[in-house]
Amino acid sequence: MVAQAAGVSPSTVSRLLNGTARVSPEKRATIEVAIEALGFVVNPVASGLAGGRSRCIGVITQALSSPFYGNALLGIEDVLIGANYAPLFVSGHWRPRDEQRCINSLLSRRVDGLIILTPSLPDAELLALARRLPLVVTGRQLTGPGLCSLDFDNHAGAYLATEHLIRLGHRRIAFIKGTASHPDATDRLRGYKAALKAHGIAFDPALTVPGKFIEEGGEQATEHLLASGTAFTAMLAANDQMAYGAALALYRRGLRIPDDVALVGFDDLLGSSYTLPPLTSVRHPIQEIGRQAARAVTALIQGQVCEMQAPAPSLIVRDSCGAAPSVRVSHPV
Amino acid sequence: MVAQAAGVSPSTVSRLLNGTARVSPEKRATIEVAIEALGFVVNPVASGLAGGRSRCIGVITQALSSPFYGNALLGIEDVLIGANYAPLFVSGHWRPRDEQRCINSLLSRRVDGLIILTPSLPDAELLALARRLPLVVTGRQLTGPGLCSLDFDNHAGAYLATEHLIRLGHRRIAFIKGTASHPDATDRLRGYKAALKAHGIAFDPALTVPGKFIEEGGEQATEHLLASGTAFTAMLAANDQMAYGAALALYRRGLRIPDDVALVGFDDLLGSSYTLPPLTSVRHPIQEIGRQAARAVTALIQGQVCEMQAPAPSLIVRDSCGAAPSVRVSHPV
DNA sequence: TTGAAAGCGTTACCAA
DNA sequence: TTGGTAACGCTTTCAA
């Protein structure tokens, strides 16, 4: 270490830099002068090798540019940098294989902890991984040693949205489901059903169509629904992307939102304020979730237990849903 | 190194792993068996320290979740992983300070090269940086030792879009400008002007309004334009986000796209296929640009010179622009 | 083609 | 509170 050329032993410099032990004021001053003079910056590679710690946290997201997870990344980045950790962002592309490759790569880089946003790997793998290093996962309910999880309250969100439509007078509310294998999808469906039940509306399977969580899926689901002749006055999509697709399908059929059909989305993507009409949607405080995940992983690293509490979702009401048209009250309920 | 426990000297193993020198077939076989048996994986931290190379490339984007740059990241990731480099993604948030911090952090991590997507730092800084390590920048025209740049053809894209509108019969074409300090913004404006000129249409400053490259800006610009009473039959927004804002403002005023006003965007974001109506937009082959940047940085590392050629933009025609309404031909030209 | 040995820039342990 | 010294796991001369 260069700083030693201007003073003391390398150990002392290291101790000063890391606050590992007390250093006498005089030595401290001498060292600080030398550091300044030499423009010294620690080499994290070397300290990672020697100390076994890298001050890096691996962050696995499924798509780097996902408008949904993007906000979580922002929160994670902010907290991590503040805690003097460097985030390493990688994307798993929703493929367990890629995710495993990312994990291996991060492990070999000796990251101090790992955050996985909605993992695609099975629970057992994650539990095993958590035994090797501190792990935080979102979008899944999981507990174990060295593991901390934070699930969105999808049930509550879907309940909220459905209830809003019911209060507006809608009784025939279609639901566009997400990918069945996705835990978010099933929870959102459950929330929808629960709200119907709570308001004494029978669940009609004919109103539930699959949309694969993408625009095209929402579009096809809506076309399918319209073609089937099933009557409905409102639609709830299990995510905003499917709602965009649904809006296009309705538009092509000459149906107006909200006049002919009310539409509600889920996730409140940035673009949803600028759809025509602006889309009512369920919002998770996703950036806050990222912040919590980042705090959790640093806590785990310090050997603390951590408790995360998913902040409650809220409904952002915009122009895409209005009262049920009274002329359609005659529809079967 | 563990592999040596099962055979030869660490140097030989290193040579085999890196292809630094020839290894006799027998030794090679023995070593490979040992590697397999021990499940050995190189420690990039250690080899980075010893060799001075990290096989990491730093990638600085301005916003990790940008729908525009996201595709570039995909291309970069793909090529880099294929070349056995690991990308390190960080975001500069369009702030020179953050960008500098990112650069320092990546430098201290000893990345072998750097890709900066549309840097916010001044040219001089970038030129200086390129002297320290191989650097590739996009969205800017810059040459120097160890430096390679790839600019989008913004001029051609804007020309293409404007010409399309002119061919549809539009003469009064409003233009929503991006942030003035952004080089993309000025090139797009130039392209618009050039197309007008080529078709004998006088440039009217009253038709050019600033929109800051964001939805809200496009919305306000459009409101401003409508309030000003300036006649126009078409609008070209310097990016899709502003086009979304413009669409909302038109919608609020009861103006229909494309019947009352034709609208064209720029960048062809994923969402633009699903706006109402789907948006005609200029598309850069942005993923290909990412791939080129990644190839360029690996070439630079190997000491090769590199030539990058920005692929030509194309116009994706959707439903948001139709022929100019003949009833409006009386508008001042 | 191979091995021995000297680092790379830190941290961590042990003695002082 | 300090310094000495041995790692950390690999690459890279230099000789053989």
Side-chain angles (χ1 to χ4, degrees), chain B residues 1 14 18 40 47 50 53:
Chain B
M1 196 192 311
S14 169
N18 299 293
F40 173 78
S47 68
R53 278 166 278 89

PDB file of all heavy atoms in Angstrom, chain B residues 1 14 18 40 47 50 53, chain D residues 8-14:
ATOM      1  N   MET B   1      -4.108 -23.051  -5.603  1.00  0.00           N
ATOM      2  CA  MET B   1      -5.243 -23.536  -6.411  1.00  0.00           C
ATOM      3  C   MET B   1      -5.458 -25.037  -6.173  1.00  0.00           C
ATOM      4  O   MET B   1      -4.509 -25.827  -6.231  1.00  0.00           O
ATOM      5  CB  MET B   1      -4.929 -23.288  -7.893  1.00  0.00           C
ATOM      6  CG  MET B   1      -6.125 -23.385  -8.779  1.00  0.00           C
ATOM      7  SD  MET B   1      -5.656 -23.446 -10.503  1.00  0.00           S
ATOM      8  CE  MET B   1      -4.516 -22.075 -10.569  1.00  0.00           C
ATOM      9  N   SER B  14      -3.217 -22.572 -14.707  1.00  0.00           N
ATOM     10  CA  SER B  14      -3.536 -21.218 -15.147  1.00  0.00           C
ATOM     11  C   SER B  14      -3.393 -21.121 -16.655  1.00  0.00           C
ATOM     12  O   SER B  14      -4.257 -20.562 -17.339  1.00  0.00           O
ATOM     13  CB  SER B  14      -2.615 -20.218 -14.455  1.00  0.00           C
ATOM     14  OG  SER B  14      -2.740 -18.951 -15.050  1.00  0.00           O
ATOM     15  N   ASN B  18      -6.432 -20.258 -19.242  1.00  0.00           N
ATOM     16  CA  ASN B  18      -6.442 -19.008 -19.994  1.00  0.00           C
ATOM     17  C   ASN B  18      -5.954 -19.154 -21.430  1.00  0.00           C
ATOM     18  O   ASN B  18      -5.938 -18.195 -22.173  1.00  0.00           O
ATOM     19  CB  ASN B  18      -5.578 -17.977 -19.288  1.00  0.00           C
ATOM     20  CG  ASN B  18      -6.094 -17.674 -17.911  1.00  0.00           C
ATOM     21  OD1 ASN B  18      -7.164 -17.102 -17.759  1.00  0.00           O
ATOM     22  ND2 ASN B  18      -5.367 -18.097 -16.888  1.00  0.00           N
ATOM     23  N   PHE B  40     -14.261 -27.187  -9.607  1.00  0.00           N
ATOM     24  CA  PHE B  40     -13.501 -25.948  -9.493  1.00  0.00           C
ATOM     25  C   PHE B  40     -14.043 -24.829 -10.391  1.00  0.00           C
ATOM     26  O   PHE B  40     -14.427 -25.050 -11.534  1.00  0.00           O
ATOM     27  CB  PHE B  40     -12.036 -26.223  -9.858  1.00  0.00           C
ATOM     28  CG  PHE B  40     -11.219 -24.971  -9.935  1.00  0.00           C
ATOM     29  CD1 PHE B  40     -10.774 -24.347  -8.789  1.00  0.00           C
ATOM     30  CD2 PHE B  40     -10.928 -24.407 -11.175  1.00  0.00           C
ATOM     31  CE1 PHE B  40     -10.029 -23.183  -8.867  1.00  0.00           C
ATOM     32  CE2 PHE B  40     -10.181 -23.241 -11.248  1.00  0.00           C
ATOM     33  CZ  PHE B  40      -9.737 -22.629 -10.101  1.00  0.00           C
ATOM     34  N   SER B  47      -8.030 -13.585  -9.720  1.00  0.00           N
ATOM     35  CA  SER B  47      -7.342 -13.443 -11.007  1.00  0.00           C
ATOM     36  C   SER B  47      -7.305 -11.981 -11.437  1.00  0.00           C
ATOM     37  O   SER B  47      -6.376 -11.556 -12.107  1.00  0.00           O
ATOM     38  CB  SER B  47      -7.970 -14.340 -12.068  1.00  0.00           C
ATOM     39  OG  SER B  47      -9.253 -13.895 -12.378  1.00  0.00           O
ATOM     40  N   ALA B  50      -4.318 -10.525  -9.523  1.00  0.00           N
ATOM     41  CA  ALA B  50      -3.031 -10.976 -10.042  1.00  0.00           C
ATOM     42  C   ALA B  50      -2.782 -10.488 -11.459  1.00  0.00           C
ATOM     43  O   ALA B  50      -1.698 -10.003 -11.779  1.00  0.00           O
ATOM     44  CB  ALA B  50      -2.969 -12.496  -9.986  1.00  0.00           C
ATOM     45  N   ARG B  53      -6.551  -7.820 -14.959  1.00  0.00           N
ATOM     46  CA  ARG B  53      -7.762  -7.815 -15.794  1.00  0.00           C
ATOM     47  C   ARG B  53      -8.909  -8.441 -15.011  1.00  0.00           C
ATOM     48  O   ARG B  53      -8.701  -9.334 -14.196  1.00  0.00           O
ATOM     49  CB  ARG B  53      -7.521  -8.625 -17.063  1.00  0.00           C
ATOM     50  CG  ARG B  53      -6.789  -7.859 -18.154  1.00  0.00           C
ATOM     51  CD  ARG B  53      -6.285  -8.765 -19.235  1.00  0.00           C
ATOM     52  NE  ARG B  53      -5.013  -9.417 -18.872  1.00  0.00           N
ATOM     53  CZ  ARG B  53      -4.919 -10.567 -18.223  1.00  0.00           C
ATOM     54  NH1 ARG B  53      -6.004 -11.222 -17.878  1.00  0.00           N
ATOM     55  NH2 ARG B  53      -3.738 -11.063 -17.921  1.00  0.00           N
TER      56      ARG B  53
ATOM     57  P    DC D   8      -5.207 -19.048   2.688  1.00  0.00           P
ATOM     58  OP1  DC D   8      -5.873 -20.014   3.582  1.00  0.00           O
ATOM     59  OP2  DC D   8      -4.303 -19.511   1.618  1.00  0.00           O
ATOM     60  O5'  DC D   8      -6.319 -18.176   1.987  1.00  0.00           O
ATOM     61  C5'  DC D   8      -6.801 -16.943   2.453  1.00  0.00           C
ATOM     62  C4'  DC D   8      -7.260 -16.095   1.289  1.00  0.00           C
ATOM     63  O4'  DC D   8      -6.397 -14.945   1.216  1.00  0.00           O
ATOM     64  C3'  DC D   8      -7.152 -16.770  -0.081  1.00  0.00           C
ATOM     65  O3'  DC D   8      -8.444 -17.230  -0.452  1.00  0.00           O
ATOM     66  C2'  DC D   8      -6.640 -15.681  -1.013  1.00  0.00           C
ATOM     67  C1'  DC D   8      -6.318 -14.501  -0.107  1.00  0.00           C
ATOM     68  N1   DC D   8      -4.950 -13.916  -0.266  1.00  0.00           N
ATOM     69  C2   DC D   8      -4.776 -12.527  -0.242  1.00  0.00           C
ATOM     70  O2   DC D   8      -5.771 -11.802  -0.107  1.00  0.00           O
ATOM     71  N3   DC D   8      -3.527 -12.006  -0.373  1.00  0.00           N
ATOM     72  C4   DC D   8      -2.479 -12.825  -0.523  1.00  0.00           C
ATOM     73  N4   DC D   8      -1.278 -12.265  -0.637  1.00  0.00           N
ATOM     74  C5   DC D   8      -2.626 -14.238  -0.547  1.00  0.00           C
ATOM     75  C6   DC D   8      -3.866 -14.736  -0.422  1.00  0.00           C
ATOM     76  P    DG D   9      -8.622 -18.750  -0.978  1.00  0.00           P
ATOM     77  OP1  DG D   9     -10.050 -19.069  -0.851  1.00  0.00           O
ATOM     78  OP2  DG D   9      -7.591 -19.602  -0.365  1.00  0.00           O
ATOM     79  O5'  DG D   9      -8.274 -18.636  -2.540  1.00  0.00           O
ATOM     80  C5'  DG D   9      -9.074 -17.805  -3.368  1.00  0.00           C
ATOM     81  C4'  DG D   9      -8.348 -17.576  -4.663  1.00  0.00           C
ATOM     82  O4'  DG D   9      -7.143 -16.828  -4.401  1.00  0.00           O
ATOM     83  C3'  DG D   9      -7.896 -18.850  -5.391  1.00  0.00           C
ATOM     84  O3'  DG D   9      -8.305 -18.720  -6.722  1.00  0.00           O
ATOM     85  C2'  DG D   9      -6.391 -18.849  -5.226  1.00  0.00           C
ATOM     86  C1'  DG D   9      -6.114 -17.357  -5.195  1.00  0.00           C
ATOM     87  N9   DG D   9      -4.868 -16.959  -4.553  1.00  0.00           N
ATOM     88  C8   DG D   9      -4.196 -17.595  -3.535  1.00  0.00           C
ATOM     89  N7   DG D   9      -3.102 -16.972  -3.168  1.00  0.00           N
ATOM     90  C5   DG D   9      -3.041 -15.859  -3.995  1.00  0.00           C
ATOM     91  C6   DG D   9      -2.080 -14.822  -4.060  1.00  0.00           C
ATOM     92  O6   DG D   9      -1.058 -14.669  -3.374  1.00  0.00           O
ATOM     93  N1   DG D   9      -2.405 -13.887  -5.042  1.00  0.00           N
ATOM     94  C2   DG D   9      -3.514 -13.952  -5.852  1.00  0.00           C
ATOM     95  N2   DG D   9      -3.665 -12.966  -6.729  1.00  0.00           N
ATOM     96  N3   DG D   9      -4.425 -14.915  -5.797  1.00  0.00           N
ATOM     97  C4   DG D   9      -4.128 -15.831  -4.856  1.00  0.00           C
ATOM     98  P    DC D  10      -8.094 -19.824  -7.780  1.00  0.00           P
ATOM     99  OP1  DC D  10      -9.359 -20.011  -8.464  1.00  0.00           O
ATOM    100  OP2  DC D  10      -7.353 -20.965  -7.208  1.00  0.00           O
ATOM    101  O5'  DC D  10      -7.083 -19.090  -8.775  1.00  0.00           O
ATOM    102  C5'  DC D  10      -7.556 -18.042  -9.567  1.00  0.00           C
ATOM    103  C4'  DC D  10      -6.467 -17.036  -9.786  1.00  0.00           C
ATOM    104  O4'  DC D  10      -5.614 -16.976  -8.644  1.00  0.00           O
ATOM    105  C3'  DC D  10      -5.529 -17.340 -10.937  1.00  0.00           C
ATOM    106  O3'  DC D  10      -6.047 -16.726 -12.108  1.00  0.00           O
ATOM    107  C2'  DC D  10      -4.228 -16.710 -10.518  1.00  0.00           C
ATOM    108  C1'  DC D  10      -4.414 -16.373  -9.048  1.00  0.00           C
ATOM    109  N1   DC D  10      -3.324 -16.844  -8.178  1.00  0.00           N
ATOM    110  C2   DC D  10      -2.202 -16.045  -8.017  1.00  0.00           C
ATOM    111  O2   DC D  10      -2.137 -14.971  -8.621  1.00  0.00           O
ATOM    112  N3   DC D  10      -1.199 -16.451  -7.190  1.00  0.00           N
ATOM    113  C4   DC D  10      -1.311 -17.618  -6.553  1.00  0.00           C
ATOM    114  N4   DC D  10      -0.297 -17.985  -5.741  1.00  0.00           N
ATOM    115  C5   DC D  10      -2.447 -18.466  -6.704  1.00  0.00           C
ATOM    116  C6   DC D  10      -3.426 -18.047  -7.528  1.00  0.00           C
ATOM    117  P    DT D  11      -5.374 -17.112 -13.501  1.00  0.00           P
ATOM    118  OP1  DT D  11      -6.348 -16.747 -14.532  1.00  0.00           O
ATOM    119  OP2  DT D  11      -4.837 -18.484 -13.422  1.00  0.00           O
ATOM    120  O5'  DT D  11      -4.130 -16.112 -13.590  1.00  0.00           O
ATOM    121  C5'  DT D  11      -4.384 -14.727 -13.611  1.00  0.00           C
ATOM    122  C4'  DT D  11      -3.081 -13.982 -13.718  1.00  0.00           C
ATOM    123  O4'  DT D  11      -2.216 -14.319 -12.604  1.00  0.00           O
ATOM    124  C3'  DT D  11      -2.271 -14.268 -14.986  1.00  0.00           C
ATOM    125  O3'  DT D  11      -1.752 -13.019 -15.415  1.00  0.00           O
ATOM    126  C2'  DT D  11      -1.160 -15.196 -14.504  1.00  0.00           C
ATOM    127  C1'  DT D  11      -0.946 -14.700 -13.076  1.00  0.00           C
ATOM    128  N1   DT D  11      -0.423 -15.685 -12.087  1.00  0.00           N
ATOM    129  C2   DT D  11       0.684 -15.356 -11.355  1.00  0.00           C
ATOM    130  O2   DT D  11       1.287 -14.304 -11.475  1.00  0.00           O
ATOM    131  N3   DT D  11       1.074 -16.304 -10.432  1.00  0.00           N
ATOM    132  C4   DT D  11       0.473 -17.528 -10.196  1.00  0.00           C
ATOM    133  O4   DT D  11       0.917 -18.285  -9.338  1.00  0.00           O
ATOM    134  C5   DT D  11      -0.673 -17.811 -11.016  1.00  0.00           C
ATOM    135  C7   DT D  11      -1.397 -19.120 -10.844  1.00  0.00           C
ATOM    136  C6   DT D  11      -1.078 -16.884 -11.927  1.00  0.00           C
ATOM    137  P    DT D  12      -1.188 -12.867 -16.883  1.00  0.00           P
ATOM    138  OP1  DT D  12      -1.777 -11.645 -17.447  1.00  0.00           O
ATOM    139  OP2  DT D  12      -1.295 -14.150 -17.588  1.00  0.00           O
ATOM    140  O5'  DT D  12       0.358 -12.605 -16.589  1.00  0.00           O
ATOM    141  C5'  DT D  12       0.739 -11.967 -15.384  1.00  0.00           C
ATOM    142  C4'  DT D  12       2.237 -12.088 -15.182  1.00  0.00           C
ATOM    143  O4'  DT D  12       2.515 -13.136 -14.221  1.00  0.00           O
ATOM    144  C3'  DT D  12       3.040 -12.444 -16.433  1.00  0.00           C
ATOM    145  O3'  DT D  12       4.234 -11.676 -16.429  1.00  0.00           O
ATOM    146  C2'  DT D  12       3.348 -13.921 -16.259  1.00  0.00           C
ATOM    147  C1'  DT D  12       3.492 -14.008 -14.739  1.00  0.00           C
ATOM    148  N1   DT D  12       3.219 -15.363 -14.173  1.00  0.00           N
ATOM    149  C2   DT D  12       3.955 -15.796 -13.085  1.00  0.00           C
ATOM    150  O2   DT D  12       4.829 -15.135 -12.559  1.00  0.00           O
ATOM    151  N3   DT D  12       3.611 -17.048 -12.632  1.00  0.00           N
ATOM    152  C4   DT D  12       2.643 -17.878 -13.148  1.00  0.00           C
ATOM    153  O4   DT D  12       2.447 -18.979 -12.649  1.00  0.00           O
ATOM    154  C5   DT D  12       1.930 -17.373 -14.291  1.00  0.00           C
ATOM    155  C7   DT D  12       0.870 -18.202 -14.927  1.00  0.00           C
ATOM    156  C6   DT D  12       2.235 -16.143 -14.743  1.00  0.00           C
ATOM    157  P    DT D  13       4.913 -11.229 -17.782  1.00  0.00           P
ATOM    158  OP1  DT D  13       5.752 -10.058 -17.458  1.00  0.00           O
ATOM    159  OP2  DT D  13       3.900 -11.201 -18.815  1.00  0.00           O
ATOM    160  O5'  DT D  13       5.889 -12.431 -18.128  1.00  0.00           O
ATOM    161  C5'  DT D  13       7.268 -12.169 -18.268  1.00  0.00           C
ATOM    162  C4'  DT D  13       7.939 -12.005 -16.895  1.00  0.00           C
ATOM    163  O4'  DT D  13       7.243 -12.800 -15.924  1.00  0.00           O
ATOM    164  C3'  DT D  13       9.381 -12.507 -16.959  1.00  0.00           C
ATOM    165  O3'  DT D  13      10.282 -11.483 -16.544  1.00  0.00           O
ATOM    166  C2'  DT D  13       9.437 -13.708 -16.031  1.00  0.00           C
ATOM    167  C1'  DT D  13       8.124 -13.678 -15.265  1.00  0.00           C
ATOM    168  N1   DT D  13       7.483 -15.033 -15.243  1.00  0.00           N
ATOM    169  C2   DT D  13       7.835 -15.910 -14.260  1.00  0.00           C
ATOM    170  O2   DT D  13       8.672 -15.650 -13.413  1.00  0.00           O
ATOM    171  N3   DT D  13       7.179 -17.118 -14.297  1.00  0.00           N
ATOM    172  C4   DT D  13       6.219 -17.518 -15.197  1.00  0.00           C
ATOM    173  O4   DT D  13       5.697 -18.621 -15.128  1.00  0.00           O
ATOM    174  C5   DT D  13       5.899 -16.551 -16.211  1.00  0.00           C
ATOM    175  C7   DT D  13       4.875 -16.869 -17.254  1.00  0.00           C
ATOM    176  C6   DT D  13       6.529 -15.367 -16.197  1.00  0.00           C
ATOM    177  P    DC D  14      11.763 -11.549 -17.025  1.00  0.00           P
ATOM    178  OP1  DC D  14      12.466 -10.398 -16.403  1.00  0.00           O
ATOM    179  OP2  DC D  14      11.730 -11.723 -18.486  1.00  0.00           O
ATOM    180  O5'  DC D  14      12.316 -12.901 -16.379  1.00  0.00           O
ATOM    181  C5'  DC D  14      12.377 -13.024 -14.953  1.00  0.00           C
ATOM    182  C4'  DC D  14      12.959 -14.381 -14.623  1.00  0.00           C
ATOM    183  O4'  DC D  14      11.910 -15.376 -14.691  1.00  0.00           O
ATOM    184  C3'  DC D  14      14.051 -14.826 -15.603  1.00  0.00           C
ATOM    185  O3'  DC D  14      15.151 -15.320 -14.847  1.00  0.00           O
ATOM    186  C2'  DC D  14      13.375 -15.922 -16.433  1.00  0.00           C
ATOM    187  C1'  DC D  14      12.362 -16.488 -15.429  1.00  0.00           C
ATOM    188  N1   DC D  14      11.176 -17.131 -16.053  1.00  0.00           N
ATOM    189  C2   DC D  14      10.611 -18.262 -15.451  1.00  0.00           C
ATOM    190  O2   DC D  14      11.123 -18.710 -14.419  1.00  0.00           O
ATOM    191  N3   DC D  14       9.515 -18.836 -16.031  1.00  0.00           N
ATOM    192  C4   DC D  14       8.998 -18.321 -17.151  1.00  0.00           C
ATOM    193  N4   DC D  14       7.917 -18.915 -17.668  1.00  0.00           N
ATOM    194  C5   DC D  14       9.548 -17.171 -17.766  1.00  0.00           C
ATOM    195  C6   DC D  14      10.633 -16.602 -17.196  1.00  0.00           C
TER     196       DC D  14
END
